[in-house]
Amino acid sequence: MKAALGLGSNLGDRAAHLQLAVDGLRALGPTIVSTFHETAPVGPPQPDYLNAAAVVECALEPEELHAYTKELESRAQRVRTPGDRWGPRTLDVDLLLCDDRAVRTNGLVIPHPGLAERMFVLAPLVEIAAEWVVPGWERTVRELHADLRAHS
């Protein structure tokens, strides 16, 4: 399976946290990583984020890869506070795309529902997966990125 993931950190050594995620993904299989992007936070006042995107080829199913991303977040000592969806974090790893699949299970929706509205996701993703056609939108990452830039 080929999967695209969004990576973000705004606490502690942000670059080291992103590198931890990249190293963890590379342990699964061939991985391509975007450049790191400095971005303003969404939600309550908090430090700026460092964001990136990665594409990994691995043998895991989407649910297994999702569970693995939560392990990576734990390794970065991420603390989840109930009800604090937009708070600061050491590491956030979001599963964005899996092949050409649409997945909807308890706790996992692919493509990621906010993908087309988040420049902090699309800007790094377009660097490494511009021609990926996003299921449900039937548009490429490049087209979604251009649309969002035109409307920002």
Side-chain angles (χ1 to χ4, degrees), residues 13-95:
D13 187 339
R14 301 173 307 159
H17 294 309
L18 293 187
Q19 191 60 53
L20 180 148
V22 169
D23 292 344
L25 293 172
R26 285 187 172 142
L28 297 176
T31 303
I32 301 168
V33 182
S34 73
T35 59
F36 292 179
H37 294 244
E38 183 90 23
T39 59
V42 174
Q46 56 188 294
D48 285 348
Y49 275 83
L50 200 58
N51 290 102
V55 173
V56 62
E57 292 184 41
C58 68
L60 299 179
E61 288 298 314
E63 294 82 5
E64 295 170 315
L65 182 55
H66 183 249
Y68 184 74
T69 66
K70 299 309 147 210
E71 289 175 26
L72 293 175
E73 291 175 353
S74 292
R75 288 184 207 164
Q77 300 176 345
R78 174 166 179 183
V79 176
R80 291 184 180 273
T81 306
D84 190 12
R85 182 175 175 195
W86 301 105
R89 67 263 334 247
T90 55
L91 181 62
D92 187 35
V93 182
D94 288 329
L95 188 47

